[in-house]
Amino acid sequence: LACGKDRPTKLTQKTRKPLRKLGKSTISQVKQRIQHLLTELVRLRDEGCIMRHYGVGNCGGVTAADHIISRVYHLTYAIHENVICLCWYHHGQWKPANATLYADIVKKHIGENQYKRLNELREQSPKIQSYTLKEWEEREKELMDKLEKLYQK
C-alpha cells in the first residue's frame, strides 16, 4: 500500500547494515508470520501512515509496521498496540533523524497511558529469555483473531 502521492524529492543517503538472514527454526517461522500479521493489521487499523495526521514531511512509499518498542523485547514483539503504520519515508528516513519528535507524536497518537504500559512491558521483558513455541503460536492466534475482527468491520 502506498501512503500518498507526495513523495520526498531528496533523501539523504544512509549507510545500511547488511540484512540478517532469516532463521529457519520453527519459532523463527512463527515470528515471521507474526510480523506479516502485524503489518496487515496496522494497514487496516491505521489506514495508512499515521504521520499524515501530524504534518511532518511528505509521505512516500510502501507502508509497513513500525514497532514502537524494539522487537528485541519479546513481551512487546507480538502485540498490535506496540505497532503503528508508517510509510517508507517516515520509517526509514524521517524517524531516525527526528527521534524525539517521533516519540512525542507516538505518545500523542496512542495515548500517554498506552505508551507508559509499553515501556513497562519493555522493562519486564528480559532480552535473553523468550517465549516457548507454544506461547509464540498463542500470540500468533491472538493476532489472527484481531485481524479477523478488523475485516468484519
Side-chain angles (χ1 to χ4, degrees):
L1 295 175
C3 184
K5 294 179 182 175
D6 297 329
R7 298 223 162 126
T9 53
K10 271 190 176 179
L11 297 177
T12 57
Q13 191 66 342
K14 177 178 156 181
T15 44
R16 293 189 173 265
K17 297 177 189 173
L19 294 174
R20 288 187 313 171
K21 291 183 181 179
L22 294 175
K24 296 184 190 282
S25 73
T26 308
I27 288 178
S28 290
Q29 292 172 358
V30 173
K31 289 171 78 174
Q32 289 168 33
R33 291 194 306 266
I34 285 171
Q35 290 311 301
H36 290 291
L37 288 168
L38 285 169
T39 299
E40 189 174 353
L41 198 146
V42 297
R43 284 177 175 164
L44 278 173
R45 183 192 68 200
D46 297 346
E47 299 177 338
C49 180
I50 68 152
M51 293 298 172
R52 72 187 186 282
H53 301 297
Y54 300 98
V56 288
N58 293 322
C59 289
V62 176
T63 55
D66 179 58
H67 289 257
I68 298 165
I69 303 297
S70 171
R71 290 185 283 178
V72 171
Y73 304 99
H74 68 278
L75 289 179
T76 58
Y77 186 97
I79 59 172
H80 68 90
E81 296 93 348
N82 183 44
V83 185
I84 56 173
C85 191
L86 290 183
C87 67
W88 173 86
Y89 169 72
H90 283 109
H91 182 76
Q93 300 291 315
W94 185 86
K95 177 184 168 182
N98 299 279
T100 304
L101 182 54
Y102 166 83
D104 291 342
I105 289 172
V106 168
K107 282 180 204 171
K108 183 177 182 178
H109 190 77
I110 68 170
E112 276 293 329
N113 290 338
Q114 181 66 17
Y115 193 80
K116 184 178 176 182
R117 179 179 165 262
L118 291 173
N119 278 290
E120 288 168 355
L121 287 172
R122 177 185 51 83
E123 290 171 13
Q124 295 170 14
S125 182
K127 289 185 181 182
I128 299 169
Q129 181 184 348
S130 188
Y131 291 136
T132 63
L133 174 60
K134 183 179 179 183
E135 290 169 320
W136 281 117
E137 289 174 333
E138 289 168 1
R139 302 293 85 74
E140 181 182 23
K141 174 75 170 96
E142 291 166 4
L143 287 171
M144 286 190 280
D145 292 345
K146 178 69 177 170
L147 193 56
E148 187 177 317
K149 286 179 186 175
L150 277 175
Y151 273 120
Q152 291 174 357
K153 284 185 177 180

